Amino acid sequence: MPVAAMEAMLQIRHQQIHQFGHTLEADRARPTLDWARDIENAARAILEDAQFNKPADRLRRRAIKLGALLMAFADKLEGEVQ
């Protein structure tokens, strides 16, 4: 089972928290619309790279970052769902 992408996403998420201070409390304070815009922009960057046949490693890096962003967003929403 390939887990390299998952491990890379967790590593970026760890960096977001410990280096940049994006704790769960800070994430929950951020408006959902801001999250949605960041997610849309990250996905759009992948789409544009794919349209212009950018290298797979670049697409993968962007996808990993998007995955970490989505993990953070899901954690933020979990507190609102319960």
Side-chain angles (χ1 to χ4, degrees):
M1 168 189 280
V3 295
M6 179 182 61
E7 289 173 346
M9 285 179 212
L10 288 173
Q11 181 180 13
I12 288 174
R13 184 65 186 130
H14 184 269
Q15 186 180 33
Q16 289 170 343
I17 294 167
H18 296 284
Q19 261 189 318
F20 303 112
H22 296 289
T23 62
L24 183 56
E25 294 79 23
D27 288 348
R28 285 185 176 158
R30 226 174 139 223
T32 300
L33 185 57
D34 290 353
W35 283 94
R37 287 183 178 132
D38 286 349
I39 292 166
E40 179 184 32
N41 289 338
R44 185 175 290 125
I46 293 170
L47 177 62
E48 289 173 5
D49 281 356
Q51 278 181 305
F52 294 104
N53 298 313
K54 298 294 182 182
D57 65 324
R58 179 173 167 157
L59 288 164
R60 183 182 184 278
R61 278 193 312 272
R62 289 192 188 270
I64 296 296
K65 286 182 180 181
L66 175 57
L69 179 63
L70 289 167
M71 286 173 38
F73 183 56
D75 285 344
K76 172 223 182 336
L77 293 175
E78 186 165 332
E80 295 175 15
V81 170
Q82 295 181 9

